[in-house]
Amino acid sequence: GTQVPYCNGGATMIGSGTPIPCAGPKARRCEPPRVALLLAISLFSAWLPSASASDGAQCEGKPPMTPLLYGADLAVADNICCHNTHWAEQSGYADRLGFYDKLGEEVTTFYDSVCGLPLFRAPVGRTFSKWRAESETHGWPSFRPEETFAENVIIKPGGEMVSACGAHLGHNLPDGQGDRYCINLVCMAGTSNGNVTAENGPLGKPLINAARSSRAPWAAPLLSLALLCFALLFLGVGL
């Protein structure tokens, strides 16, 4: 009769001892490498960035200080600054707390809510009313490079901004005037830790932290292709 190809040369058997026929003439094996498929899925899942948590260095494992200034809520600060890399406090949160009304026309320094490092000083190179108007228009305190303590703020690839203490601050959202730092009030509501050197540190554009850069751009498509190949084998499609 017609010869039917068998898996592994006909060596794969079931209860009755009957060889298992392959799915078709192009199939090479009946039993796909399921372990390899699961491994590929695990690797791909590990590659994907977390939507809500960061690495163990976030906030250096410390909670925000108490009390926070400007009426900032401790629970909101802990969630946004120390257990998050993408989300923000609600738009207009600073307005609802009367934040801008609590400030004078003079320059104010704003400190990290966890470790007390100086982060921003505003207004610099513009009036208080212009700084306030820009911040209220966008919904969050808004700073420019010349208002930023360059050594204490890190811009990650993709625009996320963190403090030197590992707290999530907000994002760099450039506009027609250049870089604009959109910052959560709850993450800049701390008090000074008394570091005189930091207080006198240079203002300017923070450097992008290349050491924490995102994974290589070819990694995602390569892993996706590997996952697709194993999925095809899992479904019994010959390659």
Side-chain angles (χ1 to χ4, degrees):
T2 303
Q3 296 294 318
V4 178
Y6 291 92
C7 298
N8 300 324
T12 301
M13 313 290 284
I14 56 178
S16 64
T18 304
I20 304 174
C22 291
K26 291 185 179 181
R28 296 181 180 178
R29 55 180 61 86
C30 288
E31 190 65 25
R34 301 189 182 205
V35 174
L37 173 62
L38 292 175
L39 178 60
I41 294 175
S42 298
L43 289 173
F44 188 70
S45 299
W47 178 88
L48 292 175
S50 171
S52 59
S54 68
D55 56 39
Q58 190 168 11
C59 289
E60 298 178 341
K62 302 175 183 177
M65 63 178 67
T66 55
L68 293 173
L69 300 179
Y70 317 117
D73 183 84
L74 180 62
V76 175
D78 186 53
N79 183 43
I80 296 298
C81 312
C82 299
H83 298 89
N84 160 70
T85 59
H86 300 288
W87 305 106
E89 65 198 17
Q90 290 184 346
S91 176
Y93 179 80
D95 284 321
R96 290 191 291 276
L97 292 180
F99 167 63
Y100 304 103
D101 293 328
K102 297 173 182 177
L103 304 176
E105 296 287 329
E106 67 277 3
V107 175
T108 301
T109 299
F110 301 98
Y111 299 89
D112 187 290
S113 292
V114 177
C115 67
L117 277 178
L119 302 174
F120 305 99
R121 179 183 293 159
V124 174
R126 52 180 168 173
T127 65
F128 176 83
S129 60
K130 288 186 177 180
W131 170 70
R132 175 174 181 167
E134 179 178 85
S135 298
E136 290 181 327
T137 297
H138 293 288
W140 289 268
S142 180
F143 301 94
R144 298 289 174 173
E146 59 271 19
E147 297 171 320
T148 306
F149 284 86
E151 295 180 349
N152 301 333
V153 177
I154 299 165
I155 303 178
K156 291 186 177 183
E160 184 199 359
M161 300 186 69
V162 300
S163 73
C165 303
H168 172 78
L169 300 177
H171 289 85
N172 178 25
L173 303 174
D175 58 15
Q177 301 178 49
D179 285 354
R180 183 182 66 81
Y181 308 143
C182 187
I183 305 300
N184 293 287
L185 172 61
V186 293
C187 302
M188 49 169 252
T191 53
S192 173
N193 62 9
N195 188 326
V196 177
T197 302
E199 295 279 357
N200 296 313
L203 298 174
K205 183 176 182 178
L207 295 176
I208 293 179
N209 186 358
R212 294 190 180 190
S213 61
S214 56
R215 299 169 179 84
W218 47 262
L222 182 61
L223 285 173
S224 297
L225 179 61
L227 185 61
L228 175 62
C229 290
F230 283 121
L232 291 175
L233 288 174
F234 183 80
L235 295 173
V237 178
L239 298 177

